[in-house]
Amino acid sequence: MLFSGSLYLLATRSVTNIGFVNYIGPVTPIGGLLLILGWLSLLLAALKSK
């Protein structure tokens, strides 16, 4: 949600006219990192269950 949602809001900021969108830019890399960590933990859990 952090990664995809922030990208969506950044891409549509001219249409939505939301004021806090300028502060969402730094959230995108954090959301991307959490997304990668989520996939890695899913992979580790799948490998561990075998």
Side-chain angles (χ1 to χ4, degrees), residues 4-45:
S4 299
S6 64
L7 286 178
Y8 177 77
L9 286 174
L10 286 170
T12 61
R13 68 178 150 194
S14 64
V15 177
T16 57
N17 292 325
I18 299 173
F20 65 89
V21 174
N22 294 332
Y23 302 109
I24 291 180
V27 174
T28 305
I30 296 169
L33 179 65
L34 292 174
L35 180 67
I36 291 169
L37 289 175
W39 279 109
L40 285 175
S41 65
L42 180 66
L43 175 68
L44 290 174

